[in-house]
Amino acid sequence: MRPALPALMSAPLLAGLTFLPAAPARATPPLHRTVEQAYPQLDYFFQKLVRERDGITIDGRAPFQSHDKFLPGKIATGLADVLLHTPKDDPRLPGMLRDYAAIADLTVGMENDTWGIYYYMGALYKLKQAGLLARAVHPATLDLLRRKLDWRTFVRQPAFELIDLPTNYYGVAFSIARLRLLMGWEDAHASEVLLDKMLKHYADYSGTYGFSDETDGQGRFDRYSILLAAEICERFIETGLSVTPELKALLRKSADVALNAANADGTGFTMGRSLGPYGETAMLEILSTAAYLGVLSPEEKEYAYAYSARIGERYMDFWYDPALHSVDMWGKGRRTDTYRGKHRILGENFSLLHQLISTDAMWNRAGMRDAAPRADLAAWLARARPAFSLTRFAGGEYDRALAIWRDGPHVFSLSMINGGPSQHANSPYYPLPFSYGIVSGIADSGAAHPQLLPKFRLADGSELIATAFMKDIQAHDVDGGYRVTYRQDALTKLGKNLPVKDPRIAVETEYVLRHGVVTRTDTYTPAAPLDVAGVSLDFASFSSGASVAGADVAFHDGVVRGFAVQGLANCRAEDVAGSEAYRAPYGPMATLASCRTGAFTFDKPLRISWTIRYQ
């Protein structure tokens, strides 16, 4: 056994959620000082792996029995970060290198796919650059890794087609091929072809808008669509390529969205899946890369750094649980999608800490090491960023766009981004005004209780909601606020992996956003008389102490103070605190407000409206 790295002081874990975002009462420390707290966390896992090997358990989970297909690569990267942070004259380093080699021997035969391959390749290349590789990996193990860590395991040859993977994996494949080239394991041909494939996909499915569709043009976007330009630039930087002007232009678009959605409390993206701390570290990646490449103005750089420092501080204060020695995305009423389930607890620690370390390094290279963050971030965001912006992601048969609205300490992301397979019925992809502590999706929710979308249950058993076929997205100023409209010629028929058009009902939707008030109005029109068994509308809220008067729900506690519905008569509210089904990525919901109608013949337009009032 070797002695632990000295523990650094970490800020106390927040006892509960605070849904009124505000600038911290104390000064935010420099990002680099905060990120230094990552190394004791990594070293804890390093020593635990040395002791427990493949029998390791964390909070009751056995990571090596979880079929986490990225785990060996994440272990390699996380532990390499510890080695690279340890001074070369540190007397512990020889023992740490022997321990690293033993863990590499242990994991080399385990499943390790795609992202895991990329992480492992990055670790090997950095160790090689530091002159540590020969002592960190035994020759026989390195020879086996050379054969196993290959992009060809998920790219079909000779066509260079991804094998049943989303299109963003072209970037993963390119990165692996480029790192293999730098390791001397292959020539440049594959990395050049894969780079061309990746950029061609951008051009084909993002056009002039500059954001990557996760599907082959079916129109599904999320925080990763905004992040991907930064990731590509990072791969260029880490492998010694010059970032092109075209990539910098894409990165500038991503940086604009990130700054528009930034909040002084350090929270990040609120729409789409796989959020939790990744909704915040995505902001770190975008803004640190943009700062390093000179894409930001000097003033933007100062405040983007201040925001990044808040994100780092929030990770240590909110997401990291010192009692568990782990990030916590699964307790305290928090919820993730299956992809980031608790079975991946060890890998999630390594990947998140690596993101903090690598983005801190980028900020350091941008000249901000140990810089004191600006204290007036909230005031700058209100002054310098637009109160309202509409960013288009795709056009054509259907529109995709993101409207961001800033109302005091609250930032709303009205995401109209839902298409393609697998996610259309889950509320993180609904066209809703997501805002921390006000409106949230629920990971892997399904459509049993569709958040804030009326659900039509037809007499023939069909269930329909308005999710995926948006056209003519428009935004206008209105007195004291903003108006967003779109229409859908068909609703989505639930029950299939893909959104299925059902033209029996069309809808026109209007959002009106004013200070303290969000109103959505849907006007549904039947193509012909239709027998409807009922219509329902649900709102899972973080507020509590509900009282109901007709179709109005008032809350005694919480940011949301009222929820009023028109067009549906029967409303009730129930306490759902503690329910597994009502958890946001960052904490528990408290109340489910539900409104219903009985059966009717749908033969004329039906107007359903809801209003959320908040403080």
Side-chain angles (χ1 to χ4, degrees), residues 42 129 158 211 234 241 265 463 474-475 520 571:
L42 288 170
Q129 286 182 303
F211 300 97
E234 289 171 28
L241 293 174
D265 64 355
E463 292 187 329
Q474 301 293 332
R520 172 179 170 133
C571 296

Side-chain angles (χ1 to χ4, degrees), residues 118 121-122 125 175-183 238-239:
Y118 163 71
M121 287 299 307
Y125 179 57
S175 302
I176 295 167
R178 177 71 182 163
L179 287 165
R180 285 179 62 87
L181 167 67
L182 295 173
M183 289 291 292
E238 75 175 344
T239 60

Side-chain angles (χ1 to χ4, degrees), residues 221-491:
F221 299 84
D222 61 14
R223 55 120 199 153
Y224 198 81
S225 304
I226 305 164
L227 169 62
L228 188 56
E231 277 199 352
I232 295 170
C233 292
E234 289 171 28
R235 301 297 87 84
F236 273 52
I237 295 165
E238 75 175 344
T239 60
L241 293 174
S242 295
V243 179
T244 65
E246 293 79 9
L247 282 174
K248 289 183 181 180
L250 293 173
L251 179 60
R252 176 68 227 194
K253 292 184 177 184
S254 294
D256 274 329
V257 175
L259 289 173
N260 288 348
N263 201 317
D265 64 355
T267 53
F269 290 117
T270 52
M271 76 291 184
R273 72 184 188 281
S274 293
L275 290 175
Y278 288 93
E280 296 156 18
T281 58
M283 296 287 201
L284 270 177
E285 289 195 61
I286 293 166
L287 295 174
S288 62
T289 307
Y292 172 74
L293 290 174
V295 168
L296 304 180
S297 72
E299 181 178 85
E300 288 173 330
K301 179 179 173 181
E302 286 282 334
Y303 287 99
Y305 170 75
Y307 177 45
S308 297
R310 299 269 171 90
I311 291 170
E313 184 182 37
R314 177 173 159 81
Y315 183 87
M316 298 301 172
D317 288 357
F318 182 83
W319 292 110
Y320 176 68
D321 186 341
L324 297 177
H325 296 279
S326 173
V327 66
D328 188 1
M329 296 187 278
W330 311 278
K332 304 180 180 68
R334 303 168 192 169
R335 175 168 168 160
T336 63
D337 55 1
T338 302
Y339 178 76
R340 296 205 190 278
K342 197 172 182 180
H343 65 286
R344 289 178 56 175
I345 186 171
L346 181 58
E348 295 304 311
N349 276 279
F350 283 131
S351 59
L352 282 163
L353 292 171
H354 179 69
Q355 285 185 27
L356 290 172
I357 289 168
S358 60
T359 53
D360 174 55
M362 197 74 79
W363 273 116
N364 294 343
R365 294 172 71 179
M368 301 302 288
R369 183 186 179 105
D370 292 326
R374 297 290 297 258
D376 59 338
L377 175 60
W380 181 82
L381 290 169
R383 179 182 74 251
R385 303 311 302 175
F388 179 89
S389 63
L390 181 70
T391 302
R392 295 192 181 273
F393 284 8
E397 183 180 8
Y398 302 112
D399 287 355
R400 300 288 183 259
L402 174 66
I404 299 174
W405 177 49
R406 188 175 296 279
D407 184 20
H410 304 293
V411 180
F412 291 84
S413 292
L414 173 51
S415 57
M416 298 160 282
I417 55 173
N418 189 340
S422 76
Q423 291 293 331
H424 68 93
N426 292 327
S427 57
Y429 284 85
Y430 291 170
L432 297 177
F434 297 110
S435 184
Y436 187 81
I438 296 177
V439 175
S440 174
I442 300 170
D444 291 345
S445 65
H449 297 278
Q451 176 80 307
L452 287 169
L453 293 185
K455 180 166 71 172
F456 285 74
R457 187 164 46 87
L458 305 186
D460 66 4
S462 302
E463 292 187 329
L464 314 179
I465 58 175
T467 60
F469 304 110
M470 289 156 286
K471 297 183 177 183
D472 300 333
I473 296 173
Q474 301 293 332
H476 307 279
D477 293 355
V478 295
D479 291 341
Y482 305 91
R483 178 174 177 260
V484 179
T485 60
Y486 58 88
R487 64 183 176 86
Q488 299 185 66
D489 295 336
L491 300 191

Side-chain angles (χ1 to χ4, degrees), residues 30-48:
L31 177 64
H32 183 66
R33 189 187 309 168
T34 298
V35 172
E36 282 292 307
Q37 298 175 58
Y39 293 102
Q41 296 175 31
L42 288 170
D43 192 65
Y44 169 81
F45 292 116
F46 202 157
Q47 296 195 51
K48 192 171 176 65

